[in-house]
Each structure stands twice: as structure tokens, then as C-alpha cells.
Amino acid sequence: MSSEQFQAAHDSIYITGRLLLQSLQEIRATREGEEDDTKALQRIENDITKALYALKEQKYQVAVIAPLNAGKNTFLNALIGADILPSEAEAITACRTDIRHIDSGQVHRFLEYREGHWQPVAIASGDAVEIAQKFLEHTQSIRNQHNPARTIRFEIEHPIEAISTLSSLAGFTLSDLSVENEQASIKFTPTTEQEQIILETLENTDVILFILNENNFKNDSVSGFLKKIIENYRQILAVNQGKVFFIINEVEPKNTHIDVSEVIEICKQTLIGLGFPSPIIYSANSRKGLLAKLIQNSTATSNHTKEFVQVFLGNYIEETEEGEFRVPQPIEIAPKVLKDSGILVIQEIVLQTIIENSGWNLLNGVLAELNKAAKAIEDSLNTRLVSEEVETENIPGKAASQSTETLTNEPIQALGNELEHLATEPQKPEVNPPRIVTSLKERKAQLNEYMDELTSIRKSLDSWKPVQRMN
């Protein structure tokens, strides 16, 4: 199931659900005064509303873990599409940082959550440059003062370019987890609540990404890091092996003595020795991908463009038919550079993992609820239709019976009785059984259209049902 197919199915389910809800509300409006029936319809309406809310508000989380100086923040920036997180050397956060996706038109904010408080404190708002600067200053202050406010996590509200075209994944969050080696490096002792946050994140996350780089394999530090992580979270990682990926983050300038394919093989053997029988490993050049995105989206600063030209442009000089060399403009080659960076491949595997697990389960569950609601509405319409059809059939008999009755009262007395009746009884709308039957049949035909659409979506969803991965 591709991300485009997921988006289309998500939209179809939501639109059909909204139409079903609207139809039900119109049916309820015609049943006022029929207490038992309207209560049942209210329950169905509540079920549809809850299902549609779940569809729109579903949360998706990707946890990112790395040893020191692996380029984790650069990798996160490449997925975000903005240079918003400072380098680890500048700002070791020491606690979890969530980057929560928002629409591009919303205000970008940097928030802080503190121990014992539910509501966050707003630290800064503005563009990526402003937030990055404030983030750096604030995290350095926490490091120097040993966390006096008992900060337990940060949250940055910012558009994430990797899912910008997928409104179905609007609840997407990247979680930068600060683990033991980062905390120890700045003599930071995590609180019990912080440790619990890391544990809960790993238990509930949709994807876990380990970021390593080529230089990590020059010594045994990466083995020690991975061993410690696996020991601490062995059960969680074992359950989620199909959702765990290892990223070898290439660095610039290139180390000519180490080939990335060799690093991947070393990483693979290390992980197998630590208990990962079939580790899934990718490589990427995060800085390359970030700069390409910034240039492609016209958000690069002059420094970004200068770096892009100095470090990467030389690899894309073209030779013309005349044998002359042509230096392309950065905007010309940005798409190819982005593709070559490997970031797009990683984005796709992350999205596919989410869609094939949490995403598919969400659509499947919501669709089941809507089908159940549609069937309940159909049963209610059928019951009412049978009742009204019987009433319609009895009309001729009632009319004939009334025509043979003998008037026993004087016309004036009859008129007086009628006036007294009108004065003491509230007026009721005229009931026309044949017209009601016609209306009910129209409602049922409309409902059948919605049920056919749900059936069509079900067939498509079942054809995309993910195959269970073998770990």
C-alpha cells in the first residue's frame, strides 16, 4: 500500500463517513418525539463521530536514537526540511525533543514541559532560525545550571517536509530520544519521569531509527552504545524488530579509507552478534539531503547555498558535447542531489512501515465501525418502512369505514366539539403515510450508495493488507 493509496483510502473513508453522518442526522430530525428510536439513532451517531475523530486525530511517532556525534540532529533536520536543530556538539538536549508536524500556515513554536506540570511553557515562536537560536541558548542554559526547572521534554511545532503532502499523517511526530550516553556526557541525571517517557515512547512508537556514522566504527564505542541500548530495552526491541532500522550517516569530507558498504557490513555483523538476526540497514548523507531540500524549496540562506556549492556541486559538473565543462546552478541539480543523498529512500521506508502497520489498522478499524453503523441505520429504516407500508395499506379500509358511519350529533354541536379539541390539544403535522414511504425508500437508496462505497473501499483495503514481516 503506497502512501498515495493510503491517502486516497483515508480521504474516501472520511468523506463517506461524513455523508453517512449527515444522512443520519437528517433521519433523526424527522423522528422527533419518537424517544426510543431517536435514542438508538443518537448512539449510532456517536459511534460514527468517534470513528471519524479517530481517523483525523491518529498519532504517529518515529523515535530516533544515536550515540554522540552521529549526526542525529542533521538527520532530523533533513526529514524536517529545515535547519532548526543545532548540531549535537552545540546542544545536547539531555531529554526528549518532539518535533510535531503542523501546517505551514501555523505559527512555529518551541515549548518546554516540566516535571509535575501538564501545560507546557512557551519558550519561543518564529521561523526556523529564531527557534534554532533559542533552542541552542535554552539547552545550554539547562546544561550549565543542571536543569533547575526540572525540564522533562521539549516540543517543537514545525512543518515536517517528509509528510507535507499527506494530510492523512497530520498527527506525525519525530521524537529525538536522549539516552544514557548523551546524559552522561554532560553530567545530567535523568529524573524518573524522564526515564519513563523514554520507555513509553519506545513502547508506543511506530518506527525506531538508530543513527550511526562512518566514524563511529573506528573504535568500539558504537558496539558499547548498541549493547547498552539493547540490554536496557531488549524486550521492546525484540517485539518491534520489523520496525527498527539502522542508518549509517555519511559524513563530509569523505573518509577515503572507509567505504560505506564496508561500514554497513561491519554494522550488520555487530548487530547480529548483539541479537539482531536480520538488521535492516540504510545509508544516507543527511547534510547533503538537507541542503538539497532547502535549495529546492527556496528556503536556503546564503550560507547554505555556499556550503552546497563548495562541498557537493563539484560532483555534478557536466561535460557538454563540445567537450567543455558546465557548472550547473544549485536549483537545477537539487532534485538529483536529494535523491543521491538517500534521504528519500529512508523517508519512504519510514512512511511504508507506518502505513502498513498503524495506518492500515486505523483504516480497517474505522471502516468496520462505519459499516456497523450503516447496517444499524439500514435496520432502523427497514423497520420503519415496514410499519409505514402497513399503515398505507390500511388507509382505504379506514376511509370506507368512516364513510358508512351515521352522524348522531347536530352540525353545531360537532363544530363546538372540534373547536374545543383544537383549543386543548397541540396541533400535529399532517401525517401522509404514502409520502413517508416514498421518503424512506429514498433514504434507503441513498444509504445503499454509501454502503456500496464502503464495500468498495473494503475490497481495496483488503487487497493492500500487509504481509507479516519475518524478523
Side-chain angles (χ1 to χ4, degrees):
M1 188 178 191
S2 68
S3 54
E4 292 79 12
Q5 289 170 328
F6 178 78
Q7 180 67 51
H10 185 281
D11 290 345
S12 294
I13 291 173
Y14 185 75
I15 291 170
T16 306
R18 290 292 303 171
L19 290 172
L20 189 64
L21 182 63
Q22 181 181 341
S23 179
L24 175 59
Q25 290 169 339
E26 291 171 357
I27 292 171
R28 282 191 61 212
T30 66
R31 307 275 187 96
E32 292 182 3
E34 302 174 26
E35 187 173 344
D36 292 341
D37 198 29
T38 53
K39 280 185 176 180
L41 294 177
Q42 177 66 65
R43 286 193 293 270
I44 299 171
E45 182 177 331
N46 292 343
D47 290 341
I48 296 175
T49 302
K50 288 178 184 177
L52 294 178
Y53 179 84
L55 189 66
K56 280 293 185 182
E57 299 300 321
Q58 175 72 16
K59 305 300 180 187
Y60 302 100
Q61 190 170 39
V62 176
V64 183
I65 303 172
L68 286 172
N69 301 319
K72 177 173 63 173
N73 283 5
T74 305
F75 174 80
L76 286 166
N77 284 340
L79 296 184
I80 297 166
D83 210 352
I84 196 167
L85 296 173
S87 68
E88 289 96 326
E90 296 175 311
I92 299 175
T93 54
C95 52
R96 190 180 96 186
T97 301
D98 293 333
I99 300 91
R100 186 171 67 83
H101 175 71
I102 59 173
D103 291 335
S104 58
Q106 293 181 262
V107 176
H108 309 164
R109 299 195 301 166
F110 169 35
L111 308 174
E112 177 183 78
Y113 287 81
R114 297 171 179 172
E115 190 172 29
H117 299 273
W118 287 103
Q119 293 298 320
V121 177
I123 305 299
S125 62
D127 61 20
V129 174
E130 293 174 289
I131 290 179
Q133 183 60 37
K134 195 64 180 179
F135 186 88
L136 176 60
E137 294 171 358
H138 195 65
T139 52
Q140 287 179 337
S141 174
I142 288 176
R143 288 165 61 181
N144 295 334
Q145 299 179 35
H146 305 292
N147 195 20
R150 307 291 286 176
T151 301
I152 56 174
R153 74 178 178 93
F154 300 119
E155 181 173 286
I156 294 175
E157 297 174 341
H158 192 280
I160 297 176
E161 193 271 347
I163 55 109
S164 59
T165 61
L166 300 171
S167 60
S168 54
L169 298 180
F172 187 91
T173 296
L174 289 167
S175 291
D176 172 6
L177 296 189
S178 175
V179 290
E180 190 173 327
N181 74 322
E182 291 180 278
Q183 295 159 348
S185 71
I186 56 172
K187 299 179 181 179
F188 181 91
T189 302
T191 66
T192 301
E193 192 167 345
Q194 284 173 324
E195 292 176 337
Q196 186 63 28
I197 284 174
I198 292 175
L199 186 62
E200 289 176 357
T201 301
L202 291 176
E203 286 176 337
N204 299 312
T205 194
D206 296 285
V207 178
I208 300 174
L209 299 178
F210 285 92
I211 312 302
L212 312 167
N213 74 28
E214 297 167 316
N215 294 331
N216 290 143
F217 292 89
K218 290 181 178 179
N219 52 51
D220 293 332
S221 63
V222 71
S223 298
F225 163 76
L226 292 171
K227 184 177 181 180
K228 195 71 175 178
I229 293 292
I230 291 171
E231 286 177 354
N232 290 347
Y233 307 109
R234 182 176 298 277
Q235 186 174 356
I236 296 173
L237 295 176
V239 171
N240 293 291
Q241 276 198 39
K243 304 176 185 178
V244 177
F245 303 93
F246 297 87
I247 312 301
I248 305 300
N249 200 14
E250 300 177 46
V251 295
E252 297 291 344
K254 294 290 292 179
N255 186 329
T256 56
H257 301 292
I258 300 180
D259 184 86
V260 70
S261 61
E262 295 178 11
V263 177
I264 290 176
E265 185 58 31
I266 294 171
C267 181
K268 180 179 179 181
Q269 295 306 318
T270 300
L271 291 166
I272 290 174
L274 292 173
F276 274 84
S278 302
I280 307 170
I281 306 172
Y282 294 91
S283 66
N285 190 315
S286 300
R287 192 63 184 173
K288 191 176 189 177
L290 170 61
L291 293 175
K293 278 190 178 183
L294 293 174
I295 290 171
Q296 188 171 272
N297 297 330
S298 301
T299 53
T301 64
S302 58
N303 287 336
H304 289 137
T305 304
K306 183 178 179 181
E307 181 184 353
F308 181 84
V309 170
Q310 290 178 341
V311 180
F312 302 113
L313 192 62
N315 297 325
Y316 296 88
I317 293 176
E318 302 169 351
E319 185 175 0
T320 66
E321 294 179 357
E322 292 77 21
E324 297 179 352
F325 292 99
R326 175 181 174 273
V327 179
Q329 292 297 311
I331 191 65
E332 292 179 61
I333 61 168
K336 179 170 174 50
V337 174
L338 177 57
K339 181 179 179 181
D340 292 346
S341 73
I343 287 295
L344 295 181
V345 172
I346 294 169
Q347 286 181 184
E348 185 59 28
I349 195 65
V350 167
L351 295 181
Q352 280 299 115
T353 303
I354 290 174
I355 288 169
E356 291 178 3
N357 292 279
S358 300
W360 191 91
N361 291 336
L362 171 70
L363 298 190
N364 184 54
V366 171
L367 194 56
E369 285 296 322
L370 295 182
N371 272 313
K372 178 182 174 183
K375 186 65 173 63
I377 297 171
E378 182 184 41
D379 290 343
S380 175
L381 285 176
N382 285 339
T383 300
R384 181 69 183 273
L385 188 57
V386 169
S387 174
E388 294 298 335
E389 285 177 337
V390 170
E391 184 71 17
T392 302
E393 291 173 359
N394 290 336
I395 288 176
K398 289 182 178 180
S401 174
Q402 291 174 357
S403 66
T404 58
E405 289 181 1
T406 304
L407 294 176
T408 57
N409 300 308
E410 293 294 327
I412 296 177
Q413 181 181 354
L415 179 61
N417 291 340
E418 181 65 19
L419 290 173
E420 182 181 356
H421 173 73
L422 291 174
T424 57
E425 291 292 329
Q427 282 192 304
K428 296 180 181 179
E430 182 182 355
V431 176
N432 188 327
R435 187 177 300 168
I436 293 175
V437 169
T438 300
S439 176
L440 288 171
K441 287 182 176 180
E442 290 173 353
R443 294 283 184 195
K444 187 174 178 181
Q446 186 183 57
L447 178 64
N448 286 337
E449 290 180 11
Y450 301 152
M451 294 178 75
D452 288 343
E453 179 63 21
L454 293 175
T455 300
S456 176
I457 298 171
R458 165 58 64 192
K459 289 179 180 178
S460 297
L461 196 61
D462 286 345
S463 70
W464 296 325
K465 187 173 183 178
V467 178
Q468 187 67 37
R469 291 186 179 183
M470 299 300 293
N471 294 330

